[in-house]
Amino acid sequence: MIKILMVEDDEELADIIQRYLLSKDILLHNVTNGANLLAELEKSSSLYDILILDLTLPDIDGLDLIKNIRQTSDIPIIISSARDDLLDKINGFDRGADDYLPKPYDPRELEARIKTILKRKPAKIKQQDELFVVNEDARTISFKGHILDLTQAQYDILALLIQRKNGIVSRDDMIYNSLYIDDDSSLKNIDVMISYIRKKIKKIEKSNYIQSVRGMGYKLVIPNS
């Protein structure tokens, strides 16, 4: 599923766009100001495929946000703004925006622009080691050349374990780093999802790569890495 991060202080407009995109299998998460946007990107920028950015925000100008974001992230940015000054458009592109969509617009046009950008964007494939390969755009994980049949939540958990291989990941971290795990989810639910991931790996090889650390969480143990 495509995952979009949007900063839009008009919550009614954000809700309309969110409902439309969800009907097209595109998940949108909206924040209402620049500070929350930067916090979300710092926390989980790798979860999102595209950023939709309003220029007129209550706490910071969107053009300044683009400059800030580009210091640490190459996430594609679509400016969505009622400001029609040509200089805003030029400055937006100069600072690293990928597209400019003037308001008001039809959500269908936004959908088309999202899909066009993603077609141009090369797939991010990160080979973490010889065993596990993570394709972030396709949201798939391969184990020994076999794509694992994972739910969205299971993908997020395993990807985080791979990212921090041989390091301990708490259950709270797993909840915090996934849009597909409810914030109120019990820690027991994490244990159940880990169990399912283990079973899917063991269909290919019987070894136990995901080890529990009592009172702390789990870690993915990769021998000789």
Side-chain angles (χ1 to χ4, degrees), residues 17-29:
I17 296 171
Q18 185 177 48
R19 286 188 281 110
Y20 174 80
L21 291 180
L22 188 59
S23 73
K24 303 300 179 181
D25 204 30
I26 300 174
L27 186 67
L28 183 142
H29 175 64

Side-chain angles (χ1 to χ4, degrees), residues 154-188:
Q154 291 166 10
Y155 167 88
D156 287 340
I157 289 172
L158 183 53
L160 185 61
L161 286 166
I162 293 169
Q163 178 186 342
R164 302 184 189 175
K165 64 180 179 180
N166 297 321
I168 298 170
V169 181
S170 72
R171 295 170 179 83
D172 285 331
D173 275 351
M174 294 175 186
I175 294 173
Y176 186 74
N177 281 277
S178 176
L179 293 177
Y180 296 95
I181 304 174
D182 192 283
D183 288 344
D184 296 325
S185 181
S186 72
L187 301 184
K188 189 68 177 176

Side-chain angles (χ1 to χ4, degrees), residues 6 8 10-19 28 30:
M6 182 166 74
E8 172 58 67
D10 184 337
E11 296 187 55
E12 183 178 354
L13 173 61
D15 182 62
I16 291 170
I17 296 171
Q18 185 177 48
R19 286 188 281 110
L28 183 142
N30 184 62

Side-chain angles (χ1 to χ4, degrees), residues 2 24 40 55 61 72 110 187 203 210:
I2 298 169
K24 303 300 179 181
E40 180 66 19
L55 293 184
D61 188 273
T72 58
L110 176 61
L187 301 184
K203 286 181 179 179
I210 302 177

Side-chain angles (χ1 to χ4, degrees), residues 73-100:
S73 174
D74 62 354
I75 185 172
I77 297 174
I78 299 175
I79 293 175
S80 162
S81 178
R83 285 160 45 176
D84 58 0
D85 189 327
L86 179 59
L87 284 178
D88 279 338
K89 295 180 182 180
I90 293 171
N91 287 331
F93 287 123
D94 283 347
R95 296 186 184 199
D98 296 86
D99 200 354
Y100 196 107

Side-chain angles (χ1 to χ4, degrees), residues 47-59:
L47 293 179
Y48 299 103
D49 300 295
I50 289 178
L51 169 63
I52 301 171
L53 174 68
D54 187 15
L55 293 184
T56 306
L57 298 170
D59 58 342

